[in-house]
Amino acid sequence: MSDNHIPGAENPEKFTGLQVGEVKKSAAGIPAIIETVKQVVGEAGVARGFKALNHMNKKDGFDCPGCAWPDPDDDRSSLGEYCENGAKAIAEEATLKKLTTEFFAQHAVQELAALTDYEIGRKGRIAQPMFLPAGGTHYQPISWDDAFHKIGSALNKLSSPDEAIFYTSGRTSNEAAFLYQLFVREYGTNNLPDCSNMCHESSGVALGESLGIGKGSVKLEDFYETEVIIILGQNPGTNHPRMLTALQKAKANGARIIAVNPLPESGLMGFNNPQQLKGLLGMDTHLTDIFLPITINGDMALIKAIAYLLWQYEQQQPGKVLDYEFIKQNTEGFHEYISDLQQQNLEHLSQACGISIAQITEVAELLKNKTRIIACWAMGLTQHVNAVDTIKEIVNLLLLKGSIGKPGAGTCPVRGHSNVQGDRTMGIYEKPSQQFLNNIAGNFNFQPPQHHGYDVVEAIKAMHGGKATVFIAMGGNFLSATPDTNYTATALSKCSLTVHVSTKLNRSHLVHGKEALILPCLGRSDKDMLNGEEQIVSCENSMGVIQLSKGVLQPVSDQLLSEPVIVCRLAKATLGNSSQVNWDKYLQHYDHIRTDIERTIAGFSDYNKRVREPGGFYLPNCNREGSFNTVSKKAHFNIAPITTIKLHANELLMMTIRSHDQFNTTIYGLNDRYRGIYKERRVILMNQQDMNERELKQGDVVDIYNHHGGVERVAHKFIVVPYPIPVKCTATYFPEANVLVPVNSVAKKSNTPVSKAVVVTVKKASV
Ligand SMILES: Nc1nc2c(c(=O)[nH]1)N[C@H]1C(S)=C(S)[C@@H](COP(=O)(O)OP(=O)(O)OC[C@H]3O[C@@H](n4cnc5c(=O)[nH]c(N)nc54)[C@H](O)[C@@H]3O)O[C@H]1N2
Ligand SMILES: Nc1nc2c(c(=O)[nH]1)N[C@H]1C(S)=C(S)[C@@H](COP(=O)(O)OP(=O)(O)OC[C@H]3O[C@@H](n4cnc5c(=O)[nH]c(N)nc54)[C@H](O)[C@@H]3O)O[C@H]1N2
Ligand SMILES: [Mo]
């Protein structure tokens, strides 16, 4: 695993001019509006930019390609249902800049790989299919027919379909995702890793095992009826800004908010709603009532401590604290759970999470007589070794309070990509259920492969070990999003062919297999015409609502194809006449795709009609309806020990997080406004005490090391910034720090890379 440094795999080690300001105490407000307009008009021009903004998240418009936070079912703001970061996502996509064949002729692949991700992204939309021949230095134009032919013959040459990998990022529409998995399964493999493997997989596993459905249970309205919202490991001000509007409304209705985060994230603290006069005038809504600055990975201990106190209160006020009726009717494992809980030591739990007993008591007191609680979480919980058990611990707490399956209460794993949840519903999954495979077999007259495929981590290892040699990606930026950058770069460069269906250029196009293809596709905001008729697609948001999405902008090039069309033509070129699927039918109208989804997947009856109803429709959700689809039909209390990560004297625990100016590996800008960090991404946030111990001061440059599994990983040249973060905890930005995330450090059961708890040491760099 000692992989050499692969040229171009990492961002160049150059600085861009760090400026440090104050950490903001609230999010949004006027600066957010200024940013919005600046970004969109700058990239797309006035008319095109405002056209895009006006149609985003409207009931007849397109789904924001940013996050998966739901749109209100009822009234949508006339000012627009979008946020600063959604606008940046649209600016990125609606840009008029494009990469012509001349651009690729002028710039060698190695030259482009020497740019930063930010610089690469600025170049514009990919405008035509491009091919990099074996040994070639420059991408060359290729016709669509030739591109499909090349892929088809590469796939047909493999000795087993399991030697190919078909990745999906989470922007792919339901229609494209359904066709993609159908093609991949007819071709003969379940190798369908997706970004979810690195994202909310831990939530899916935990909720599936405990509650019988791998999705959250709340609707947006529940936020308006709840008494308490607990937000753990999530930074909504940056990553789900429209959630702040829901939190604001919840507060107005009397809800209390508890935030659990190593960082005092601005969006958790306060909110200036830019869509209200008060917000425009700079008047904050104070959001968080209790902020718990937890040490990284301390969440399980914290929740156990809260539950421990609730149990004690129950002894003092029998029948007043826990919901025994709910527990009796709906759960199993309660007594075992309680006897385990009684053996916990509060002092010990408090130390393990870094939160004082006084503060834990404050939380328990607050929860004591509440019955409607919502728990929200994101990557701060899912990307840990014990992520699945931690999420189950949250479920335990909700079960004690009967806070699932009634208004104002429930689980809310806040999803990332705008259709990551929908892609899974459509069958983008390396471990499909037998029921799903049977439905495919029943409807399409071929036998899909029964054995499971590779997830993301397994796919990287398979390519590294030469077991898989063709890599195809429906969107995303596999190289930069995955762990252990140099290991993954080696894996990709061992492939005979790497193919990316993409809107924008990224690093995965530049660190490639022997041959490589870039297939340019329409984005969410682009108008999708087929046989003279405008097509719609659909997405599922974080709360299980299926909604249509219709692009409105003229595509920047007439050589772009939609993702569904690309899949159909790829399938035809690969499977030829032997295919049992009528791909030509789907190429006539997307309604035919939805008809087949309806026949195959539960919850989509009358799909074509209901998707066109304003606001779309909810998929069934057993928890929401008060039932639990586990084998026993009961919700499970889970018992798991707390595990503390032992650090040696000089070691620190590092989380890799998003700045305010990025969408995953797409870098919109170099500022992290709310955290007061400007013009630089190569920073490491450290507690002043840890800096003192290492004789470091603000502005010093360090190299960061990880030695997991006896392999040395180094991220060179990061600037030290003192920050209000617990002792022994540090933070860096993803993807610059991914070189340090060990491919073999994964969450139990979900196999998600542990991106939030990387054991590191820092050493002053020679500059
Ligand atoms: N603008 C924008 N929007 C996005 C994205 C984006 O990159 N940019 N990405 C999208 C995607 S795919 C996703 S998955 C989501 C991600 O949304 P988030 O999960 O909010 O993203 P991260 O930046 O990874 O933030 C993790 C948060 O968890 C905290 N944290 C880290 N470790 C721990 C821990 O051990 N315990 C606790 N309690 N907290 C911890 C961090 O301080 C940080 O606030 O956002 C989606 N939306
Ligand atoms: N260290 C660390 N690593 C992480 C994380 C972390 O917190 N820390 N987070 C993880 C998470 S939560 C996620 S979800 C993954 C994200 O992993 P990915 O989803 O693979 O990465 P993105 O950066 O979202 O992908 C961006 C690329 O998608 C393409 N694209 C954009 N829109 C479209 C479209 O409409 N169609 C197509 N075909 N392509 C499009 C563009 O070419 C763009 O360059 O990263 C994971 N990696
Ligand atoms: Mo994600």
Side-chain angles (χ1 to χ4, degrees):
M1 209 177 303
S2 52
D3 286 282
N4 296 328
H5 179 84
I6 306 290
E10 293 175 58
N11 268 270
E13 294 158 13
K14 66 179 186 200
F15 296 131
T16 42
L18 172 66
Q19 289 175 8
V20 179
E22 56 166 348
V23 180
K24 300 277 182 302
K25 294 199 175 58
S26 70
I30 287 182
I33 295 194
I34 297 173
E35 270 307 309
T36 306
V37 173
K38 212 164 72 185
Q39 293 271 347
V40 178
V41 172
E43 287 293 327
V46 177
R48 185 174 165 89
F50 278 99
K51 183 169 186 188
L53 286 177
N54 283 335
H55 282 82
M56 188 147 84
N57 292 341
K58 289 288 172 63
K59 286 180 180 171
D60 58 347
F62 61 91
D63 188 43
C64 174
C67 75
W69 187 257
D71 308 305
D73 289 335
D74 45 13
D75 299 340
R76 302 230 171 141
S77 166
S78 52
L79 265 167
E81 271 300 333
Y82 55 83
C83 66
E84 174 193 346
N85 278 341
K88 289 182 198 160
I90 239 1
E92 182 77 19
E93 189 173 289
T95 182
L96 285 163
K97 287 185 230 148
K98 54 181 171 181
L99 305 182
T100 56
T101 53
E102 294 76 42
F103 171 88
F104 285 104
Q106 278 162 12
H107 301 285
V109 171
Q110 275 315 311
E111 184 190 334
L112 293 170
L115 302 175
T116 62
D117 289 342
Y118 174 60
E119 292 163 334
I120 293 173
R122 296 289 91 188
K123 298 290 177 200
R125 288 281 295 265
I126 302 156
Q128 60 288 308
M130 299 301 298
F131 173 58
L132 185 67
T137 54
H138 292 70
Y139 270 100
Q140 317 166 349
I142 183 173
S143 72
W144 277 106
D145 277 340
D146 288 350
F148 290 128
H149 180 75
K150 263 192 198 306
I151 305 169
S153 50
L155 289 174
N156 286 322
K157 258 194 254 152
L158 297 178
S159 39
S160 152
D162 290 333
E163 291 173 12
I165 286 162
F166 298 86
Y167 175 69
T168 311
S169 170
R171 278 198 191 174
T172 297
S173 65
N174 286 346
E175 289 74 3
F178 181 78
L179 294 187
Y180 189 48
Q181 63 79 34
L182 191 63
F183 156 59
V184 170
R185 296 204 160 99
E186 189 176 24
Y187 167 66
T189 180
N190 283 312
N191 285 346
L192 284 158
D194 71 343
C195 70
S196 195
N197 297 145
M198 300 180 268
C199 186
H200 266 293
E201 196 69 63
S202 305
S203 308
V205 172
L207 295 176
E209 290 183 359
S210 289
L211 299 174
I213 179 169
K215 301 180 183 181
S217 73
V218 299
K219 290 182 174 184
L220 202 47
E221 294 95 274
D222 291 314
F223 279 77
Y224 313 146
E225 298 176 42
T226 191
E227 293 173 299
V228 184
I229 302 167
I230 312 178
I231 305 169
L232 307 101
Q234 192 205 346
N235 178 19
T238 286
N239 297 315
H240 307 92
R242 288 179 306 126
M243 178 174 170
L244 301 189
T245 314
L247 295 179
Q248 188 187 33
K249 204 160 162 188
K251 286 284 303 209
N253 291 352
R256 309 292 295 276
I257 298 178
I258 301 167
V260 184
N261 201 304
L263 304 179
E265 305 284 27
S266 313
L268 294 170
M269 300 304 149
F271 178 42
N272 267 321
N273 190 340
Q275 304 200 332
Q276 290 178 352
L277 186 61
K278 251 174 64 176
L280 283 173
L281 296 174
M283 291 158 75
D284 292 1
T285 302
H286 174 75
L287 290 180
T288 290
D289 296 284
I290 305 179
F291 171 61
L292 305 176
I294 196 154
T295 50
I296 292 175
N297 197 226
D299 303 81
M300 193 186 211
L302 171 73
I303 302 157
K304 271 195 200 289
I306 298 169
Y308 179 88
L309 286 176
L310 289 179
W311 172 249
Q312 293 203 335
Y313 297 153
E314 172 65 30
Q315 305 317 297
Q316 293 154 13
Q317 290 182 297
K320 292 272 163 48
V321 180
L322 306 190
D323 187 341
Y324 277 116
E325 184 150 328
F326 175 89
I327 293 170
K328 206 164 133 214
Q329 274 198 355
N330 296 298
T331 72
E332 61 184 19
F334 172 70
H335 296 292
E336 296 83 345
Y337 165 76
I338 289 295
S339 55
D340 181 75
L341 195 62
Q342 283 169 318
Q343 284 158 32
Q344 301 294 325
N345 174 317
L346 197 55
E347 194 76 40
H348 178 204
L349 294 173
S350 154
Q351 272 163 17
C353 63
I355 304 295
S356 68
I357 293 183
Q359 267 205 306
I360 299 171
T361 308
E362 197 189 343
V363 174
E365 287 281 349
L366 171 63
L367 293 178
K368 187 162 76 177
N369 301 115
K370 301 284 195 283
T371 58
R372 299 194 305 278
I373 304 166
I374 293 176
C376 306
W377 69 90
M379 298 304 102
L381 291 200
T382 64
Q383 299 173 334
H384 284 290
V385 174
N386 58 354
V388 170
D389 280 333
T390 300
I391 295 162
K392 286 182 175 179
E393 206 67 56
I394 296 177
V395 171
N396 289 343
L397 186 69
L398 294 174
L399 293 178
L400 285 179
K401 299 293 286 176
S403 259
I404 292 184
K406 67 181 179 197
T411 54
C412 183
V414 186
R415 301 280 163 172
H417 266 298
S418 49
N419 199 37
V420 62
Q421 188 160 316
D423 289 346
R424 198 43 82 74
T425 306
M426 291 299 117
I428 302 292
Y429 192 23
E430 73 283 355
K431 300 183 194 71
S433 69
Q434 195 56 51
Q435 179 67 53
F436 184 86
L437 294 176
N438 292 348
N439 293 355
I440 295 277
N443 285 336
F444 294 97
N445 211 22
F446 69 85
Q447 230 358 281
Q450 302 291 305
H451 57 283
H452 290 168
Y454 299 130
D455 63 16
V456 162
V457 165
E458 290 160 348
I460 298 170
K461 291 188 187 170
M463 290 187 277
H464 199 276
K467 289 196 203 120
T469 56
V470 173
F471 174 83
I472 299 177
M474 185 57 68
N477 183 358
F478 192 82
L479 169 69
S480 303
T482 53
D484 238 337
T485 310
N486 284 307
Y487 183 87
T488 302
T490 308
L492 286 171
S493 49
K494 282 183 180 177
C495 286
S496 57
L497 176 66
T498 49
V499 181
H500 287 88
V501 178
S502 309
T503 51
K504 301 285 294 265
L505 190 67
N506 66 45
R507 209 164 279 287
S508 299
H509 305 130
L510 307 172
V511 176
H512 47 78
K514 216 168 269 131
E515 293 184 311
L517 280 160
I518 310 175
L519 308 180
C521 66
L522 297 176
R524 216 40 93 58
S525 54
D526 293 321
K527 196 179 271 187
D528 185 353
M529 301 292 291
L530 206 56
N531 304 317
E533 216 184 311
E534 267 183 72
Q535 302 294 314
I536 58 164
V537 292
S538 54
C539 295
E540 176 180 344
N541 68 30
S542 201
M543 292 175 188
V545 179
I546 304 288
Q547 260 183 308
L548 73 77
S549 179
K550 186 165 95 182
V552 292
L553 300 180
Q554 191 57 36
V556 287
S557 153
D558 58 9
Q559 291 205 53
L560 308 186
L561 293 181
S562 74
E563 290 181 351
V565 168
I566 290 174
V567 178
C568 289
R569 289 183 57 181
L570 182 55
K572 284 173 56 142
T574 308
L575 307 170
N577 292 335
S578 72
S579 180
Q580 298 300 311
V581 177
N582 186 349
W583 302 99
D584 287 324
K585 183 178 72 178
Y586 304 136
L587 285 168
Q588 280 161 18
H589 201 289
Y590 297 171
D591 277 359
H592 297 301
I593 310 176
R594 283 182 285 270
T595 303
D596 280 351
I597 293 174
E598 178 176 339
R599 291 198 298 140
T600 312
I601 301 171
F604 285 87
S605 58
D606 251 341
Y607 194 1
N608 276 312
K609 179 161 162 274
R610 288 199 296 160
V611 78
R612 289 180 167 88
E613 282 164 10
F617 60 94
Y618 278 93
L619 285 180
N621 182 307
C622 62
N623 290 175
R624 197 174 280 161
E625 289 133 27
S627 63
F628 302 93
N629 218 352
T630 57
V631 178
S632 62
K633 303 288 173 212
K634 300 269 186 208
H636 298 290
F637 277 97
N638 184 59
I639 303 173
I642 59 159
T643 45
T644 39
I645 301 169
K646 291 200 178 58
L647 295 176
H648 291 118
N650 60 341
E651 288 174 341
L652 300 166
L653 211 49
M654 180 184 80
M655 53 182 182
T656 55
I657 55 176
R658 291 155 171 81
S659 83
H660 192 62
D661 272 2
Q662 73 183 87
F663 193 96
N664 299 340
T665 69
T666 299
I667 312 301
Y668 303 134
L670 300 173
N671 298 337
D672 195 2
R673 196 171 79 237
Y674 295 154
R675 297 196 185 108
I677 293 166
Y678 300 90
K679 296 193 177 163
E680 188 58 79
R681 294 183 51 83
R682 292 189 86 80
V683 292
I684 174 165
L685 311 186
M686 290 180 73
N687 181 291
Q688 187 66 51
Q689 185 183 319
D690 292 320
M691 288 172 56
N692 295 347
E693 281 171 15
R694 289 162 182 77
E695 295 179 0
L696 293 170
K697 54 180 191 320
Q698 173 167 330
D700 279 351
V701 177
V702 294
D703 293 333
I704 316 172
Y705 293 81
N706 166 276
H707 290 97
H708 190 273
V711 179
E712 181 173 274
R713 299 173 187 79
V714 199
H716 291 286
K717 294 194 186 163
F718 281 69
I719 306 176
V720 176
V721 176
Y723 204 82
I725 183 170
V727 176
K728 291 261 178 200
C729 297
T730 68
T732 50
Y733 296 130
F734 139 62
E736 284 80 353
N738 281 37
V739 64
L740 295 166
V741 182
V743 72
N744 281 325
S745 171
V746 291
K748 284 183 221 150
K749 287 196 169 179
S750 65
N751 219 27
T752 295
V754 179
S755 305
K756 294 289 189 273
V758 184
V759 177
V760 297
T761 51
V762 298
K763 248 195 244 164
K764 223 178 205 166
S766 42
V767 271

